[in-house]
Amino acid sequence: MKPGYHEIYQRYRDNITRGVLRPGDKVPAIRVLAAELKVARKTVETAYAILCGEGYLVSQGARGTRVNPDLNLPASPQAPAEQATAELPESLITQRERGGYLRPGIPALDSFPYKKWLLLAGQATRSMRQEEMLNPPVMGWYPLRQAIASYLNISRGLACTPEQVLITSGYSGSLRLIFDTLAGRRDKVLFEDPGYFMGQQLLKRIVPRLHTVPVDRAGMDTGYLLRHHADARFAIVTPSHQSPLAVTLSLPRKQQLLEWATRNEAWIIEDDYDGEFHYTRKVLPSLKSLDRHDRVIFMGTFSKTVMPSLRLGYVVMPASTVSAFTDCADIVASGQPVLTQKILTAFLSEGHFFRHLKKMRALYQQRRDWMIAALREVYGDSFFTEQNDGGMHIVAFLTAGSRDREIARCWQAQQLQVNALSEWYRGSGKRYGLVMGYNNVRSYAEAVELLSRPKARTLELF
């Protein structure tokens, strides 16, 4: 079978990390490698783009593409990763650095408009002015803040100004800046259970008083919040597509949450990590669009809509907090690279982002349907899924048993980077299943082939 871009990416990344390819070594040109492997040039181009985005390779124009000369690889690549993530469950350790299929949260890299992005990148580079080579503005490049405000006003129903938009390095950067600006050490912070596992690890390090609120089929249980944690100062929610259960916070609960925040002068942090991807409705309104008292802090990212290696996100600040965020950012933030922000600004303002999202919604819906149908064909009634409005992953719940961690490890041994659902919980009342992405599954036949790899061992574990 001809290698796909995943295999090419993994092969080069592994050779670099193992020292087979050393910093400064030249790699074959795209057309040469494509001819050698007998694959389309687009396949190699995609693999090289990811490797460049992650810093393993650098393109040097006419001099070709080389292993990053500034790459500083440790003598034992695994030791730092294990030490840094020792608190993570075994099946989640270093997942973001591993190759494989079905990893949740990765956009369809095979369908990204690379040529358009590279054209915009060239234009941004050629138009770079001397003053743009100084320290970047800590609040973000103003034209990008304008473009994001315009996009959010149209697509997410937010009535915000560019002055309320703050550009960050993504999810972690946004959360850290919010808590550095507004939180005190005695403030109680609420998080969903189950909730985004990397978010849990980050919050455990920066929040002394972290508590969880259960999630059911209507989203965060606001009744539980009011009974047990009405004195909280912050609540972090994923209302559009809850992470990981992918349910939508019901309208009555949205209203109840907003009333609680207004009454107690608390803050709601809305993590809209994949709210753009909705399939059965034309518009999925954000929680912030219902906020009449400016108690919601809106967080977004381009990791899911453009590419993970972009490392750009944003925060929509309540008007009353702009001054506090500005003062804090001046001290703790360093700003994001202007060149990257200029490229993204053109991508948004020239309409390419809207067209890309429209294409991806249709593509993701089709690929989700393939995955669900393939799951049923390969495993029958061993798994079941619950209907949801969109998102970028599904949860394959176990019909019986609770051995999702063992099943996940079995799948990971076959390069299927799924997560065990039970590992996303902190409290009791766990559900069991596999969290899996589908965006990069390119056909129904491929979905069946991938799911069949661990079938024999999986069925033994039920």
Side-chain angles (χ1 to χ4, degrees), residues 361-371 438 442:
R361 287 187 189 113
L363 181 67
Y364 291 173
Q365 183 176 17
Q366 181 184 52
R367 293 184 174 185
R368 182 184 66 168
D369 292 344
W370 286 342
M371 179 62 69
Y438 50 77
R442 290 167 290 184

Side-chain angles (χ1 to χ4, degrees), residues 136-139 166-167 177 180 325 328-336:
V138 295
M139 304 298 283
L166 191 160
I167 308 301
L177 189 57
D180 280 342
F325 270 99
C328 184
D330 278 337
I331 299 170
V332 304
S334 57
Q336 307 308 310

Side-chain angles (χ1 to χ4, degrees), residues 230-261:
D231 61 334
R233 176 73 168 159
F234 295 87
I236 305 171
V237 294
T238 50
S240 295
H241 303 125
Q242 197 275 333
S243 177
L245 296 181
V247 297
T248 300
L249 187 64
S250 68
L251 182 58
R253 289 189 178 181
K254 288 179 179 178
Q255 294 170 334
Q256 198 171 24
L257 192 60
L258 290 168
E259 289 170 5
W260 161 79

Side-chain angles (χ1 to χ4, degrees), residues 291-352:
D291 180 19
R292 298 291 176 264
H293 299 280
D294 219 13
R295 303 309 304 179
V296 177
I297 304 166
F298 187 90
M299 282 173 42
T301 177
F302 292 100
S303 293
K304 307 294 188 292
T305 53
V306 180
M307 64 183 81
S309 62
L310 193 63
R311 308 314 306 159
L312 280 181
Y314 55 88
V315 171
V316 177
M317 305 166 284
S320 62
T321 68
V322 170
S323 178
F325 270 99
T326 303
D327 291 343
C328 184
D330 278 337
I331 299 170
V332 304
S334 57
Q336 307 308 310
V338 171
L339 181 58
T340 308
Q341 295 184 70
K342 289 182 70 174
I343 300 168
L344 183 58
T345 300
F347 195 65
L348 267 68
S349 60
E350 294 180 15
H352 309 300

Side-chain angles (χ1 to χ4, degrees), residues 148-381:
I148 291 174
S150 176
Y151 162 70
L152 293 175
N153 289 337
I154 295 170
S155 68
R156 308 299 288 131
L158 273 64
C160 65
T161 65
E163 287 72 23
Q164 289 176 260
V165 177
L166 191 160
I167 308 301
T168 72
S169 60
Y171 179 85
S172 297
S174 295
L175 271 186
R176 285 184 178 277
L177 189 57
I178 290 170
F179 285 110
D180 280 342
T181 302
L182 299 177
R185 292 196 58 80
R186 297 184 59 83
D187 288 341
K188 180 188 288 189
V189 177
L190 305 181
F191 197 65
E192 298 167 320
D193 191 30
Y196 177 45
F197 59 84
M198 292 305 296
Q200 294 179 36
Q201 298 302 312
L202 171 64
L203 290 168
K204 286 194 313 190
R205 287 163 170 77
I206 66 176
V207 174
R209 299 183 64 200
L210 180 64
H211 299 264
T212 57
V213 178
V215 172
D216 57 26
R217 288 172 176 79
M220 176 182 273
D221 186 347
T222 50
Y224 181 96
L225 183 157
L226 295 175
R227 290 193 302 272
H228 300 282
H229 300 298
D231 61 334
R233 176 73 168 159
F234 295 87
I236 305 171
V237 294
T238 50
S240 295
H241 303 125
Q242 197 275 333
S243 177
L245 296 181
V247 297
T248 300
L249 187 64
S250 68
L251 182 58
R253 289 189 178 181
K254 288 179 179 178
Q255 294 170 334
Q256 198 171 24
L257 192 60
L258 290 168
E259 289 170 5
W260 161 79
T262 301
R263 184 168 57 250
N264 294 277
E265 296 187 344
W267 297 109
I268 302 168
I269 301 175
E270 179 179 7
D271 177 12
D272 194 57
Y273 70 103
D274 70 353
E276 288 87 358
F277 300 117
H278 44 83
Y279 310 139
T280 61
R281 308 178 212 168
K282 283 188 175 293
V283 177
L284 193 64
S286 65
L287 180 63
K288 178 65 176 174
S289 68
L290 305 175
D291 180 19
R292 298 291 176 264
H293 299 280
D294 219 13
R295 303 309 304 179
V296 177
I297 304 166
F298 187 90
M299 282 173 42
T301 177
F302 292 100
S303 293
K304 307 294 188 292
T305 53
V306 180
M307 64 183 81
S309 62
L310 193 63
R311 308 314 306 159
L312 280 181
Y314 55 88
V315 171
V316 177
M317 305 166 284
S320 62
T321 68
V322 170
S323 178
F325 270 99
T326 303
D327 291 343
C328 184
D330 278 337
I331 299 170
V332 304
S334 57
Q336 307 308 310
V338 171
L339 181 58
T340 308
Q341 295 184 70
K342 289 182 70 174
I343 300 168
L344 183 58
T345 300
F347 195 65
L348 267 68
S349 60
E350 294 180 15
H352 309 300
F353 186 62
F354 281 99
R355 287 191 288 273
H356 180 57
L357 288 182
K358 182 179 179 181
K359 177 183 176 182
M360 291 304 99
R361 287 187 189 113
L363 181 67
Y364 291 173
Q365 183 176 17
Q366 181 184 52
R367 293 184 174 185
R368 182 184 66 168
D369 292 344
W370 286 342
M371 179 62 69
I372 293 173
L375 195 66
R376 189 178 304 114
E377 176 177 331
V378 176
Y379 290 99
D381 59 359

